[in-house]
Amino acid sequence: MDVTPFTLTAHQHPLVRALLRENADTVAALVTGLGSPLHIVLPQVFTQNALQLQAVFDALGVSHTLLYAKKANKAHCFANACSALGMGVDVASSAELSKTLAAGVTGSMIGVSGPEKTDALLSLALLQGCLVAIDSLSELQRVVQLAGKLRRAARVLLRCRPHSQPHSRFGLTEREQQAALDYCIQQQRAVVLEGFAFHLNGYSTQERARSASALIDLCLHAQARGLATCRQVDLGGGLPVQYVAPAQWTRFLQQDEPAHYHANRSFGGFYPYGVARPGALALRDVLTHPLEAGTSLAHKARTHGIQFILEPGRALLDQAGLTLFSVQGIKARQHYSIITAQGSSLSLSEQWFNSEYLPDPLLLGHRPASAQPFLACVAASTCLESDMLTWRKIAFPCPVQRGDRLVYLNTAGYQMDANESPFHEAELPLKVAIELSQQGPGLHWQLDRSPSQFT
Ligand SMILES: *Cc1c(COP(=O)(O)O)cnc(C)c1O
């Protein structure tokens, strides 16, 4: 059987390239010293991504608030970056909220989302003046009670179930929205309705623009009923990230087949790794999307003094991290090899959605290429048959050896730590935050720990 797998070359941000080319020895020393897997996080790249998204709004003259969806990565350095930028954070648990406050983000810049939030989370949000996205009528009633008890007015958004996603378990139905609006009008001492929110699964520009436009209409309706504060539309997150070149991605999908994977494994679907219009481009597409009557979404927002909230997770983390695994050993199989890497696929979350993180892993450091590529899949060092980092047979340029390090690029968005556990009594992998000097070689690294652990 002659299997020639297709390459999926992961994009590399210039800072990532500088890190891997000019500082490979330091990176290798960090993995030796701190253990495998090791996550590297790059707050400089996160900051660049945030500025790019803000520039899209600014260029279109649309006022906006950017909230980083914290669930996409637990690293403290990203919350610290938000604080430094004066940017907000979207949280959905008491621990996420308290860590965000500890990073120096003020309560008024924090959005609280998630379904049927606990009284503890809602109370802390009320006391800190956070903006709470209400997901059900019963939650709204609890917020009103808590606001009375704490003698605070709650700042709220009503999260709406999008028309295009009638099976979503999140958000209020149209009937519930009306009841919630009536209730907010009755309870104006306890709740300040600041606007409406939605979050779409999927990446359709048109769906996102139409949903946003409908929520602008809802704001105007609420204003007409006397709620002058109702001026914000929360677009949710969901800006896609481009991991590999679109042309390469299209070719990959055309030739993809089970024979290219260890054990003839097949998957139900993949993230759109080669999406054509990622991040800031996708945001621009949404805001400039033509609506009925010849206007665009941006124009409609400007006309009515509406402010957008955007809650990206993955798009802010694009290129802002990578994950290294030490190679423990190599097994030869007919036509390919199995690399055993120290760690588990819990540190590369895509396997936990019955899918695979497809961008090709690299070998750290440089070795001359051999005449034939070295075909290998990558297994974890656990005792589960299914614990594989990469089922796909990757064409490495030279034979992989014990002691090598594999680099998985662009893992900061959701891959790193969403599912990590102490399986086999392993310690949770560490994260190192790295800042590179913009001029010449040299870097500064620090363990990513809570602010209380630094002087
Ligand atoms: C997860 C989530 C986000 C972030 O989504 P991304 O796809 O990472 O941008 C934003 N808002 C809500 C309500 C979410 O649940």
Side-chain angles (χ1 to χ4, degrees), residues 91-236:
V91 303
S93 72
S94 295
E96 283 183 350
L97 176 50
S98 47
K99 284 181 182 171
T100 301
L101 289 166
V105 179
T106 57
S108 65
M109 292 299 293
I110 299 175
V112 183
S113 57
E116 217 60 70
K117 294 170 268 299
T118 62
D119 282 358
L121 175 56
L122 290 172
S123 300
L124 187 56
L126 271 161
L127 291 168
Q128 298 296 332
C130 306
L131 184 59
V132 179
I134 298 290
D135 192 62
S136 70
L137 278 171
S138 55
E139 188 180 59
L140 180 60
Q141 286 158 358
R142 277 194 297 126
V143 165
V144 166
Q145 279 168 14
L146 290 168
K149 217 192 274 177
L150 297 168
R151 297 173 191 281
R152 305 282 166 134
R155 299 173 56 219
V156 305
L157 300 174
L158 298 179
R159 178 164 173 176
C160 302
R161 192 180 70 183
H163 287 287
S164 55
Q165 299 190 340
H167 300 296
S168 171
R169 71 184 178 93
F170 296 109
L172 303 160
T173 63
E174 228 160 293
R175 184 176 295 188
E176 289 164 345
Q177 284 161 37
Q178 283 171 15
L181 180 59
D182 290 343
Y183 192 63
C184 289
I185 291 169
Q186 281 166 26
Q187 299 287 343
Q188 285 184 55
R189 280 159 58 101
V191 278
V192 180
L193 180 64
E194 296 200 358
F196 296 89
F198 70 99
H199 173 67
L200 288 179
N201 264 323
Y203 304 103
S204 158
T205 301
Q206 174 162 319
E207 257 183 54
R208 207 170 289 272
R210 284 198 182 149
S211 301
S213 170
L215 295 203
I216 293 180
D217 295 337
L218 275 178
C219 283
L220 300 180
H221 172 68
Q223 287 174 16
R225 293 190 61 191
L227 298 182
T229 52
C230 194
R231 284 193 298 261
Q232 305 209 66
V233 169
D234 185 337
L235 306 168

Side-chain angles (χ1 to χ4, degrees), residues 69 71-72 90 113 159 199 236-239 311-315 414:
K71 72 170 186 285
D90 176 65
S113 57
R159 178 164 173 176
H199 173 67
L239 296 177
E311 307 166 343
R314 195 187 287 262
Y414 294 106

Side-chain angles (χ1 to χ4, degrees), residues 63 220 223 230-232 299-307:
S63 63
L220 300 180
Q223 287 174 16
C230 194
R231 284 193 298 261
Q232 305 209 66
H299 183 262
K300 185 168 176 175
R302 281 196 309 266
T303 308
H304 296 291
I306 296 292
Q307 189 182 2

